Amino acid sequence: EILQPAAAIEIFQTAILAHDDIIDLSPIRRGKPTIYRQLGGEHYAFSQTICLGDIGLFYSVQLIADSDFDDQLKNQAVSMFCQMAVNTVSGQMLDVELPRLNQKTEAEGTIADNEREAYIPITRSRLSNADIRNRLEAESLKRLERMQEVPND
């Protein structure tokens, strides 16, 4: 019974690492060329790797949902799994965004270490969680406004 949820975790980790390799432009993973490098390292390779990672993420949830456990337990597991995914991706976003904000915090040193645990402890940073969230939201809003100003051809 536990094989499907266990496989879901492994597939999730592989999928998120495929995305992370693109974010970090990592050429090597586990001693071999990363997926996007194996596919040529160009736009096509990035696109296919992102799509493969996405399929892995959705398939992970499906494996849990299709397992033979009680429905209430499966729902709880899917909810916990999705929260883990949100925490992991939020950590990746912080990993990319914090250096751009020019804020040196303890969080920067802990993001990579804790990403595998899918939990990012940013409470010890000089910036509060709310400060970081507000800055990220402000940056996102600025980007959206700039996108709206660009005429469509």
Side-chain angles (χ1 to χ4, degrees):
E1 283 185 359
I2 198 68
L3 288 179
Q4 278 184 251
I9 298 293
E10 289 300 316
I11 292 169
F12 169 79
Q13 182 180 11
T14 300
I16 209 76
L17 287 175
H19 287 169
D20 188 61
D21 288 339
I22 290 173
I23 291 169
D24 297 339
L25 295 176
S26 300
I28 304 290
R29 169 73 57 195
R30 299 178 182 140
K32 296 181 181 176
T34 54
I35 295 170
Y36 82 90
R37 297 289 289 203
Q38 290 179 41
L39 294 173
E42 301 286 330
H43 180 262
Y44 167 83
F46 290 135
S47 300
Q48 288 295 78
T49 302
I50 290 168
C51 291
L52 286 168
D54 290 350
I55 288 170
L57 297 173
F58 292 115
Y59 186 58
S60 301
V61 175
Q62 184 179 5
L63 280 174
I64 295 171
D66 291 348
S67 67
D68 291 330
F69 289 98
D70 171 71
D71 284 346
Q72 184 177 358
L73 190 58
K74 285 194 292 190
N75 288 340
Q76 188 177 13
V78 166
S79 178
M80 291 172 67
F81 187 86
C82 289
Q83 187 59 55
M84 177 188 71
V86 167
N87 289 346
T88 300
V89 174
S90 295
Q92 288 180 315
M93 290 176 71
L94 282 173
D95 194 25
V96 171
E97 195 67 29
L98 282 176
R100 289 189 63 234
L101 295 175
N102 251 346
Q103 297 293 329
K104 300 298 180 189
T105 68
E106 290 181 35
E108 286 182 272
T110 61
I111 287 171
D113 296 337
N114 291 305
E115 197 168 277
R116 291 180 186 197
E117 297 174 30
Y119 176 73
I120 312 302
I122 59 174
T123 55
R124 294 183 312 229
S125 74
R126 290 190 301 258
L127 294 173
S128 71
N129 293 355
D131 289 337
I132 292 172
R133 185 172 44 254
N134 289 338
R135 287 174 185 230
L136 293 175
E137 288 174 3
E139 275 297 312
S140 296
L141 286 174
K142 285 181 195 173
R143 287 184 201 143
L144 285 173
E145 287 170 359
R146 283 193 302 265
M147 289 171 61
Q148 290 174 349
E149 293 170 3
V150 175
N152 291 331
D153 294 332

